[in-house]
Amino acid sequence: MPALPPPPPAISPIGDKSHIFQLPEKKIESQEDLTFFESSLAFVRITSFLQHLNKCVSPLAANEYENLVDTFSQGNSSNSSKPKFVKPKYGPEHFYTTADVKVSKEVQGIIDLITTLEDIVTECPPETGPRRFGNAAFRSWHKLATERITSTLLDTHLPSCITSLEPPPPPPPTQQTTTNSNTDTRNPPPPQTCTAKAELGVYLLGSFGSPQRLDFGTGHELSFLAFLCGIWLLDGFRIGDERALVLRLIPAYLRLIRTLVTSYTLEPAGSHGVWGLDDHFFLPYIFGSAQLTTQAPQPGVEPDYRSIGVPRPGDITKLQVVDDWRERNLYFGAVGFIYDVKSGPFWEHSPILFDISGVREGWGKINIGMMKMYHAEVLGKFPVVQHFYFGSLFPWVSVDKSVDPLPSSSTSTTTTPTPTPTSITTQPLSQHQPSTAALPTTRAPWTAGQTQTQTQSTRAPWVGGSRGGPPPPPPPPQAQFRGQIPPPPPPPGGEGVVDRGGAATRAPWAR
C-alpha cells in the first residue's frame, strides 16, 4: 500500500497525562456564536481531521506525497495541445472499499461496536399501523443502545489506552462571589469533569439521530466524525489507521444508519429537500470522490476515464454502473441508497447531484468542491451545528488568543442530559485553517470569482457548460409555485439516463 501523508499538527495526540476531561455542552445559540465557532480550536481539529482522512484515501495525494509520477505531462506531439495522461503507480483500485486494507484491533473494536448496535434493531421491531412521521420504535432502539453503550460497549470496544485512563480527581472547592440573589453572576460555573469514556460517549450517542424528532441528518454524521477524531486525539487510533477508518469503519457506520433510516423511516434532519445534496449524508460524497481522484483538475480538460479505470461523474444516472460500483466506492454507495429509497427521474429528486455529475474536470474538482460545500452547508449552518457539543477534546476556545469566548454562550448554556464528559490543555497550533463563511443559499460554494445569485435552474455553479451548453429554459411556473423557484428542466437525452416512467419521487415510506 502507498505511504500515508503526515497528519497536520492540529490533530497531534494529546500527550498530557493530567488532562482533565469535561462533560461536553452545547455552546452555539446565536449567529455570533457560529462566527466564533469558525475561529475555535474545535473547528480547526474537526476540519483538519476531515482533510487528513480525505488525503489518505486519494490516489492523487498518495502519488504526490511519494513523488512517484506527475499525473499529467505535456504530450510530445506538436499537433496536440491536450495534456497526455500518464498512469500513476497507485491507481484507484488501491482505495476501493473492497481493497485489502490492514485493520488494527483498535479500528476493528469500533467496527464490532457498530455491528452490535445494528443487531439491536432486531430486538426493537418497527411499530405497525398508520403514521405520518418516523416510527416511534426508534426511541426504543435508541434507549436500548444508550443503555448498552454506557454500561458495557464502550468499556469493551474502545482502545485500551482510553479505557485505562484514571478518572479525574474531584475538583477543589472554590469560593464563589455572590450577589444579593446568592448566585454567581460574574463567573460561570466550572464545567463538569468526567472520564474520557464519558466524553467520547456524548459524540457517539449523538451520531444515530434524534429520538425526540425521529430524524437523522448531517449534524448527527458530524458527531460521529467528532467521535473518531476524539479517539485519534487520545492516541486510540494511530498513523496507519486512516484508510481503515474510511474504507472499513465508516462504511459500517453508514450501513447502520441506512438500516435505521429504512427500518424506522427516520425523517431528514434540516434537509433542503431536493435543493440539498442528500437527505441524510455528506461524508460519503467527500471520501468517495477522493477515492476516484487520480489526477489534479485541469481547467477545461476532461480526464481520460478509460485509462484511469474509473466511472465518469455522469454515470450516477446509469443504474447498472451504480450497482457495479456501490460496493467499491462510497460516492456510488450513497447514490445507490438514493435509488433504493426514491423513484422517478434522478434529475428530478436529486438535482444538485445531477448538476455536479456534469463537471468536466472530473473527480478532483468535485472533491475540492465537496470540501468547500461541507464547510458552507454543514459547519457553516446554524441549524446543523447548534446541536454540536464542546468539551475538552473540542474546546470552546479560539485559536486567536485575542478573542474571548462569547459570554452569552459560556454562561447561560444548560447542559442537555446525555451520558458523557471532559477538558483538555490547549496546544499551540502551527497551522490554522481559514474559516468559510456561511452562504445564504444552497448553491454549491466552490466557484471562485462568481457572483452567487439566485437562478431559476439547479445547475451547480462549477458545471460551466459541461453538458454541451446551457440547460434548456425551465417550464413556466404553475400558479401554486408563484414566487418560488420553478422545478428544474428535464435532463438532456442520452443513453443510460435512468427514467423510471416518471413515477412519483416521494420516498417510498411517505404514505
Side-chain angles (χ1 to χ4, degrees), residues 119-128 135-141 144 263-264:
D119 293 339
I120 299 177
V121 174
T122 59
E123 303 179 40
C124 305
E127 297 180 358
T128 58
N135 196 297
F138 176 67
R139 297 191 176 104
S140 300
W141 178 91
L144 191 57
S263 299
Y264 303 116

Side-chain angles (χ1 to χ4, degrees), residues 163-228:
T163 56
S164 62
L165 292 174
E166 295 293 333
T174 57
Q175 183 176 3
Q176 293 186 340
T177 303
T178 58
T179 63
N180 293 334
S181 61
N182 294 324
T183 59
D184 185 0
T185 59
R186 285 179 287 179
N187 297 313
Q192 290 183 301
T193 59
C194 65
T195 62
K197 177 187 70 174
E199 181 166 359
L200 288 172
V202 167
Y203 299 103
L204 178 61
L205 291 173
S207 65
F208 307 129
S210 170
Q212 292 79 30
R213 299 183 300 273
L214 301 177
D215 62 12
F216 177 89
T218 52
H220 305 108
E221 185 186 56
L222 171 63
S223 187
F224 187 73
L225 182 67
F227 173 67
L228 300 183

Side-chain angles (χ1 to χ4, degrees), residues 23-24 142-143 145-151 154 194-206 389 415-421:
L23 185 65
H142 198 280
K143 180 180 179 181
T146 299
E147 292 173 354
R148 295 186 183 179
I149 286 173
T150 55
S151 61
L154 286 178
C194 65
T195 62
K197 177 187 70 174
E199 181 166 359
L200 288 172
V202 167
Y203 299 103
L204 178 61
L205 291 173
Y389 285 81
T415 304
T416 302
T418 22
T420 46

Side-chain angles (χ1 to χ4, degrees), residues 269-294:
S271 171
H272 295 293
V274 299
W275 310 110
L277 181 71
D278 186 289
D279 282 346
H280 300 98
F281 305 104
F282 206 115
L283 292 181
Y285 297 101
I286 295 177
F287 297 136
S289 58
Q291 287 176 273
L292 301 174
T293 300
T294 58

